[in-house]
Amino acid sequence: MRTEFIVSDEVFYITTAIYYVNDVPHIGNASEAIAADVVARYERARGRKVIFGTGTDENAIKVAEVAASSGISPQQYVDSMVPVWSDTWRAMHIQCDDWVRTTEPRHRRVVEAAFSKMLENGDIYKDLYKGWYCVSDETFFRESEVVDGLCPNPECRKAVRWVEEENYFFRLSAYQDRLLEYIEANPGFLAPEFRKNEVVSFIKAGLRDACITRKAYGWGIPVPGDPDQVIYVWFDALLNYLTIAGYLSDERKFAETWPADVQLVGKDIFVRFHSTLWPAMLMSLGVELPRLIHGHGFWTVEGGKMGKSLGNAIAPVKVSEDLAAMSGADFDVAVDAIRYFLLREVSFGLDGDFSTSGLIGRFNSDLANDLGNLLNRTLPLLHRHRDGVVPTPSPDDHDSRAVSVMIPATAAEVARRLDQLQFSDALAAIWGLVGRANKYMEEQAPWRLANEESSAKLDTVLYTVLETVRSIAIMIRPFMPTVSEVIWKQLGIEKPLADQTWADASTWGGLKPGTKTGAPEPIFPRIDTKRKPIEPAPTPAPKEEKKVEQISFDEFKRLDLRIGKIVTADRVPGADKLLQLTVDMGTETRPVVAGIAQWYAAEDLVGREIVVVANLAPAVIRGVESRGMLLAADENGTAILIQPDKEVPPGSAVR
Ligand code: MSP
């Protein structure tokens, strides 16, 4: 375990992935940044110098395409999108120290220098690229990887494009053995273990040299000395981690900051990019590898994949506003509750599901009942019987000591869990202490002791609980910075919370007798679950109207449109807009979920013929499987089903 308090020149450097700005942030992206923020805040509380770096990945083809479809220049487009991300992060209490934009000159210089260095050392060469490219994932794929003309990444599955260009390549294959040796010799380099195993299998399957440029398309960093080519967005983006650390611009900063201590990324970009291409690039540059790269899981929503196109992406600020409106809590408290939920609900590294009922459950039980109540029932007693002034406890009270001994043990356990990025377990440890203090309250029943106004026992019980809350406030601060401040204010402690170190959390007696506490106010008002729950917040619509994109006949041919006959139709429980259909497709009957319940009664649909997109990737919508989508005209927001002119056999193709 790391020591409690560290004073050194070495910077604790933590990074997240940098964000594609062709889209707006959702809770999946936010959960990664919140995790990094918690670690950064915790390390600062332990006295470390911290650099928490994040930023925006702006030189992507998809960014140029969205800008073009909006009729503005890519630069105007990215300039308008960066504040959308940075403002969201600020609202979510994510406090980063640097925000790199890959269009900045400081980053461009690093990318150009790195490219030139690798060209000089022979790791970059020119050749013909023939293969597929997925614009959505900004990834090159070989023929054998592409499935039915679609991106093989299960999170993407969009159509890939054929590319045949004279490009530059990075000699990734030359690093295959060195990468495997490094991973073997440094067991802590990649986590979690099961994802590390995926990396090893991926590398062992054989690494091909990586295409690292594209024919210039008017956006991106040009290849030094060859302006007909631009540098591939991933080669460019990965280097952001060096830019922030001061590589080639600030020798001293770089020496203090690099290697990065923790790099957090999602599972979709862990294997191919962060655990393979990135370390190989660093090896080629002769730069030390990061200490830890961690690949976390993905968030789904109400059991289904989350995506803008699916219309269910949860916007972090909107869901915080909804939670505040539902509960009556302050917005900043609701933000902290979302932070708590995202890190408590799943074991970091695994996939998690965001559901309104799950969120309300955690809010009511962990926050309102457990933590909120601990303070809510103690402070009013203190005000009623001791004028709100912290009393002096009896020394050597056996029952009080049973609680106080838990505090250093809990602080150590939380530290141990945070060192291993086990956020949920760290919170569970803190809540173990919350639970113990609540149990102590019930055992001691201070409301009964209150009859004997001078009771030393009452003094001890009130002190013990409030002193435990003081320690809890310090421990939850990395997770819930506003809530901890509110608690601190109610405790009335003069010394600012910001000056408290992690060691202060584990030392008994920080709350001084005689302290005048603040007014008791419930922080987490319970949510009345009988009221209508919030619906997942839709992602805000893009600002500009999109131009209609043209597709080729070949692209159209990839759609498998067929006639289906509805055999059964039922409402999806708990979803106002959804119907669950079974559709006869000629050769099989398949489930299709359709968002038409507002306009069609289930019983009117049975026996009708409809047009189905038969080769749409299966999805789970509100827990119900859907294999296909029906077509309907959109008349000012009302769905009108498309039906064949006369009855045709189910399964007939529509061309
Ligand atoms: N621009 C690249 C990263 C370049 S890093 C040198 C990128 N950007 S992203 O905006 O698409 O994703 C940012 C981060 O959010 C990634 O780590 C990604 O894995 C993560 N997530 C995207 N969707 C997610 C969920 N549904 N759930 C959790 N994290 C998710 O990839």
Side-chain angles (χ1 to χ4, degrees), residues 306-555:
M306 173 168 53
K308 189 174 173 181
S309 52
L310 297 169
N312 66 350
I314 304 276
V317 172
K318 175 78 170 75
V319 76
S320 307
E321 285 168 353
D322 288 345
L323 184 60
M326 254 198 312
S327 63
D330 285 348
F331 171 76
D332 285 313
V333 167
V335 165
D336 278 5
I338 299 287
R339 290 169 63 103
Y340 172 83
F341 175 80
L342 290 173
L343 293 182
R344 178 70 182 93
E345 190 70 359
V346 282
S347 176
F348 194 63
L350 303 182
D351 292 342
D353 185 50
F354 188 99
S355 69
T356 305
S357 58
L359 174 63
I360 294 176
R362 288 266 176 217
F363 185 90
N364 276 350
S365 97
D366 301 10
L367 299 178
N369 281 3
D370 297 346
L371 178 59
N373 257 352
L374 189 59
L375 193 59
N376 289 348
R377 38 187 200 172
T378 318
L379 267 189
L381 276 179
L382 185 77
H383 278 259
R384 201 167 317 132
H385 302 292
R386 296 290 183 268
D387 291 330
V389 177
V390 175
T392 305
S394 309
D396 303 327
D397 181 284
H398 178 263
D399 300 314
S400 164
R401 218 174 30 254
V403 178
S404 66
V405 291
M406 268 189 81
I407 289 177
T410 305
E413 171 72 356
V414 173
R416 195 171 70 79
R417 296 296 187 175
L418 283 178
D419 288 346
Q420 293 166 27
L421 305 178
Q422 293 168 343
F423 302 101
S424 185
D425 294 324
L427 286 167
I430 302 175
W431 257 253
L433 181 61
V434 172
R436 182 65 189 87
N438 269 320
K439 186 161 169 268
Y440 169 75
M441 275 291 270
E442 269 137 42
E443 287 162 359
Q444 302 299 315
W447 39 90
R448 264 189 258 133
L449 299 171
N451 293 331
E452 312 150 37
E453 295 285 314
S454 63
S455 163
K457 191 74 180 173
L458 176 62
D459 286 347
T460 303
V461 174
L462 291 175
Y463 183 86
T464 302
V465 174
L466 292 173
E467 169 59 3
T468 306
V469 170
R470 182 196 64 83
S471 164
I472 290 168
I474 300 174
M475 286 192 250
I476 61 170
R477 186 163 172 247
F479 298 91
M480 297 196 279
T482 296
V483 167
S484 56
E485 283 291 350
V486 175
I487 294 177
W488 204 252
K489 197 160 160 241
Q490 293 197 15
L491 290 176
I493 303 172
E494 258 177 38
K495 206 172 161 204
L497 177 59
D499 293 350
Q500 306 293 310
T501 66
W502 198 253
D504 291 317
S506 50
T507 322
W508 184 255
L511 182 62
K512 299 292 166 230
T515 303
K516 178 88 187 104
T517 57
E521 268 173 45
I523 304 171
F524 305 106
R526 256 188 82 82
I527 298 168
D528 176 1
T529 45
K530 296 201 185 70
R531 278 176 42 195
K532 195 177 177 314
I534 43 168
E535 287 292 323
T539 306
K543 283 180 213 150
E544 279 85 15
E545 187 88 7
K546 274 196 182 172
K547 282 193 194 144
V548 177
E549 198 189 336
Q550 297 200 328
I551 59 167
S552 66
F553 183 62
D554 279 349
E555 281 173 296

Side-chain angles (χ1 to χ4, degrees), residues 17-20 26 28-29 32 57 234 241 266 268 296-299:
I18 55 170
Y19 315 106
Y20 286 133
H26 58 57
N29 320 124
E32 178 182 310
D57 189 355
W234 268 102
Y241 304 127
D268 57 329
H296 60 78
F298 258 45
W299 280 94

